[in-house]
Amino acid sequence: MREILEKIVASIPGSAAVLMGFDGIAIDQAASPEAAADVESIAMEFSFRFMELRKAAESLDMGELQDVVVKAARGSLIVRCLNEEFFVALYLDQPMHLGKGRWLLRSSGDGLRAQL
Amino acid sequence: MREILEKIVASIPGSAAVLMGFDGIAIDQAASPEAAADVESIAMEFSFRFMELRKAAESLDMGELQDVVVKAARGSLIVRCLNEEFFVALYLDQPMHLGKGRWLLRSSGDGLRAQL
């Protein structure tokens, strides 16, 4: 699990990844050496809001929530839902890596899900 | 304003766009002929949650919220914040158009902002 997270952050300078429950409790995390942000605090702060987005998507007949991207001026958070209980989140300080980040989370999803 | 929204939805089959306040009140909207979803209801339902995401991003020192993407199994919503009060949202029924949609919203942002 840690190994998968480390592989993700090794590919993107200034990134940090966390595997977390929608209750805001982290299971494991990894950060690239240049990462300044505390991804655990950030994902914890957003976890409740993501649950709200999930409920809204389901009530609007959009189906199960898969990805959320929150892009702000000084940092971005990419989230991929793994199942009803857990998600993996990647924090980036550079918006230019958003596409790569989404792709890395997507391609790591099965590997992480298999270990939950 | 309507013209800009119509240009966006004309480029993506099955899409619908709305210009809305964070209070959930729509200013204007447009939908491609194939669009099945009611983008006004969807954006209204999410508007309060986006305001929550905006507050969270600011409190976490991520800076001003710029974009949010919510991708679910049967539909995706892309949001671009225009200023403190308003956002433009694009609903897509096909995830393959997400990149194009984000780009269209970004390139239309200035034009829409100028009319607010």
Side-chain angles (χ1 to χ4, degrees):
Chain A
M1 200 172 270
R2 168 76 56 91
E3 210 175 291
I4 298 176
L5 297 177
E6 276 173 353
K7 215 181 262 181
I8 294 171
V9 300
S11 312
I12 304 183
S15 70
V18 64
L19 183 66
M20 186 175 270
F22 282 102
D23 57 4
I25 297 172
I27 301 182
D28 212 342
Q29 56 182 297
S32 74
E34 309 83 359
D38 175 3
V39 69
E40 184 175 345
S41 305
I42 293 170
M44 194 168 63
E45 185 74 25
F46 277 108
S47 60
F48 174 72
R49 275 99 180 176
F50 292 143
M51 208 146 70
E52 291 291 309
L53 294 180
R54 197 169 74 171
K55 282 184 211 157
E58 280 166 12
S59 78
L60 288 161
D61 201 31
M62 289 169 65
E64 216 177 318
L65 187 66
Q66 294 176 335
D67 295 347
V68 181
V69 179
V70 177
K71 183 174 169 287
R74 287 188 294 277
S76 303
L77 191 70
I78 313 173
V79 169
R80 184 154 182 90
C81 300
L82 298 173
N83 59 27
E84 287 278 293
E85 274 180 276
F86 298 103
F87 65 87
V88 56
L90 180 65
Y91 186 84
L92 307 172
D93 58 6
Q94 301 276 352
M96 63 178 172
H97 298 304
L98 266 177
K100 190 177 181 185
R102 281 191 69 203
W103 177 78
L104 284 167
L105 286 196
R106 185 166 311 177
S107 54
S108 310
D110 286 340
L112 288 168
R113 208 178 285 116
Q115 293 181 52
L116 288 172
Chain B
M1 201 172 269
R2 170 75 58 91
E3 212 175 288
I4 298 176
L5 297 176
E6 276 173 352
K7 214 179 261 180
I8 294 172
V9 299
S11 313
I12 304 182
S15 70
V18 64
L19 184 65
M20 186 174 270
F22 282 102
D23 57 4
I25 296 173
I27 301 181
D28 212 341
Q29 55 182 297
S32 75
E34 309 83 0
D38 175 3
V39 68
E40 185 176 344
S41 305
I42 293 170
M44 194 168 62
E45 185 73 26
F46 277 109
S47 60
F48 173 72
R49 275 100 179 175
F50 292 143
M51 207 146 72
E52 292 290 310
L53 293 181
R54 199 170 72 170
K55 282 184 212 158
E58 280 166 14
S59 78
L60 289 162
D61 201 31
M62 289 169 65
E64 215 176 320
L65 186 66
Q66 296 176 335
D67 295 348
V68 181
V69 178
V70 178
K71 184 175 170 287
R74 286 189 294 279
S76 303
L77 190 70
I78 314 175
V79 169
R80 183 154 182 90
C81 300
L82 297 174
N83 59 28
E84 286 277 294
E85 273 179 276
F86 298 103
F87 65 87
V88 55
L90 180 65
Y91 186 84
L92 308 172
D93 59 5
Q94 302 275 353
M96 64 178 170
H97 298 303
L98 266 178
K100 191 177 181 184
R102 280 191 70 201
W103 177 79
L104 284 167
L105 286 196
R106 185 166 311 178
S107 54
S108 310
D110 288 339
L112 289 168
R113 210 178 285 118
Q115 292 180 55
L116 289 172

